């Protein structure tokens, strides 16, 4: 099996966003510029050293926009949590000039078109992928963007100054509604519903702690928001380390193969797919450089779009009903359920 395709990225700058949030700005060189092209709302997977386990892997959303700034840099934002080993290690140890092992971008929390009107609900560090979407829509889209952003207090508002600058630059297109728990208490379903009501029909993106996302989704449901226009990003910790080049034991000896047609980087490939082999392994065995991260069905880095045929997913903790209806599958968890399947990563 080919090695996982990770890169060492150099940290060009560490930006202090708040008392407990830091942004890491990575400098790209050579082939990395092409390999790390990303869509607004995607994430990177970083390897963090660990004395006990050698290393651990964590996913952090990109807060930069692929349509703004320098094409040779990209930025992730990390909020420190009290019991979070990786976030505390990053805050205590990462400095400019350091190199970290990083997997290429992944995730499906991204608009299909930037010309939509967007309603974004974010809380705490949930602003990170939303910020990438907001900046990208303002830079290359034509619609209006409304952001409802909840935090504990004013000091904990990540990107506070940058958001103010964006509003000042395009006040007719961007509206930011701050919700401070210290002033207004916890966000409630009725309050979020009324904030969303004037923007019915907008494309909705929701990210933050689970209770906030549950409240925001309930508010949208009460307004009969179309499921196809509602997108949720859930942060889940990885159990396994995708940087360890270990291949899971086969489920059972393969008795037959399906055929998978794959569109990848503008090229179509035809690959045999044994019925007891996960799609990700079948593609790697064929030498294709497909994206992946957790390999547990928890992060969506390996998500691809099924165009034809049927698959069965062994586990799925990240794609919701809307993603599944659109045809997204997880390569790390998919087994063939028909003789021929067509997918695309493009």
């Amino acid at each position: 099996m080919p090695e996982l395709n990770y890169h060492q990225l150099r940290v060009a700058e560490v930006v202090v966003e708040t008392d407990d949030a830091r942004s890491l700005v990575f400098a790209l060189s050579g082939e990395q510029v092409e390999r790390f092209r990303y869509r607004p709302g995607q994430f990177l997977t970083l390897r963090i050293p660990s004395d006990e386990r050698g290393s651990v892997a964590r996913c952090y959303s990109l807060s930069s926009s692929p349509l703004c700034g320098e094409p040779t840099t990209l930025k992730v934002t990390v909020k420190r949590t009290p019991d979070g080993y990786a976030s505390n290690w990053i805050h205590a140890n990462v400095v400019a000039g350091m190199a970290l092992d990083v997997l290429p971008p992944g995730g499906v929390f991204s608009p299909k078109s930037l010309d939509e009107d967007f309603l974004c609900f974010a809380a705490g560090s949930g602003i990170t992928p939303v910020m990438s979407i907001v900046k990208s829509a303002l830079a290359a889209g034509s619609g209006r963007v409304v952001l409802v952003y909840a935090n504990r207090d004013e000091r904990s508002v990540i990107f506070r100054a940058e958001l103010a600058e964006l509003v000042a630059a395009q006040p007719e297109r961007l509206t930011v509604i701050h919700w401070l728990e210290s002033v207004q208490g916890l966000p409630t379903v009725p309050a979020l519903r009324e904030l969303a009501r004037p923007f019915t029909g907008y494309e909705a993106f929701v990210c933050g702690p689970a209770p906030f996302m549950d409240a925001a989704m309930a508010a949208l449901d009460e307004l009969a928001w179309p499921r196809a226009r509602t997108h949720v990003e859930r942060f889940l910790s990885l159990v396994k380390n995708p940087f360890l080049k270990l291949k899971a034991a086969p489920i059972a000896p393969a008795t037959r193969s399906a055929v998978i047609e794959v569109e990848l980087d503008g090229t179509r490939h035809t690959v045999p797919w044994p019925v007891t082999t996960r799609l990700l392994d079948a593609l790697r065995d064929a030498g294709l450089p497909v994206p992946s991260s957790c390999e547990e069905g928890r992060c969506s880095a390996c998500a691809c779009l099924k165009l034809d045929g049927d698959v069965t997913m062994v586990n799925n903790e990240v794609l919701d009903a809307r993603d599944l209806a659109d045809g997204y599958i997880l390569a790390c968890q998919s087994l063939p359920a028909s003789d021929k399947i067509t997918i695309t990563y493009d």
Side-chain angles (χ1 to χ4, degrees), residues 127-331:
I127 189 62
T128 308
V130 169
M131 190 66 173
S132 182
I133 294 170
V134 168
K135 290 191 290 189
S136 299
L138 293 175
S142 57
R144 187 180 178 191
V145 181
V146 177
L147 169 63
V148 178
Y149 185 20
N151 283 282
R152 293 189 310 270
D153 50 42
E154 191 173 354
R155 288 177 57 86
S156 63
V157 179
I158 304 172
F159 310 130
R160 179 175 56 181
E162 189 174 1
L163 285 169
E165 291 172 1
L166 290 172
V167 172
Q170 299 195 57
E172 73 288 351
R173 292 190 58 206
L174 176 61
T175 299
V176 178
I177 302 170
H178 287 286
W179 183 290
L180 300 180
E181 183 182 337
S182 60
V183 177
Q184 298 152 280
L186 290 172
T188 63
V189 173
L192 295 178
R193 180 192 63 219
E194 295 311 306
L195 288 174
R197 188 184 297 278
F199 313 108
T200 301
Y202 281 29
E203 196 85 4
F205 284 81
V206 181
C207 188
F212 173 82
M213 291 199 297
D214 291 343
M217 292 299 292
L220 296 176
D221 285 343
E222 290 187 6
L223 294 171
W225 215 275
R227 286 288 180 171
R229 296 180 67 79
T230 310
H231 312 273
V232 180
E233 177 78 319
R234 299 187 183 278
F235 296 134
L236 297 171
S237 294
L238 304 183
V239 177
K240 298 178 182 178
N241 187 341
F243 291 92
L244 302 178
K245 297 180 286 294
L246 300 177
K247 185 174 180 179
I251 299 173
T255 57
R256 65 181 180 87
S257 289
V259 173
I260 180 78
E261 290 191 354
V262 185
E263 293 179 357
L264 178 66
D265 296 331
T267 303
R268 182 178 287 260
H269 308 266
T270 301
V271 175
W273 185 5
V275 295
T276 56
T277 299
R278 307 292 173 95
L279 174 57
L280 181 63
D281 288 333
L283 298 177
R284 283 182 180 162
D285 289 342
L288 299 183
V290 290
S292 67
S293 181
C294 75
E295 302 188 28
E296 303 168 14
R298 296 170 63 88
C299 80
S300 80
C302 67
C304 52
L305 186 63
K306 179 172 65 67
L307 302 176
D308 190 33
D310 297 307
V311 305
T312 298
M313 279 197 291
V314 178
N315 183 47
N316 169 36
E317 299 180 42
V318 63
L319 300 181
D320 61 23
R322 296 167 295 280
D323 298 321
L324 298 174
D326 287 340
Y328 285 103
I329 62 173
L330 300 175

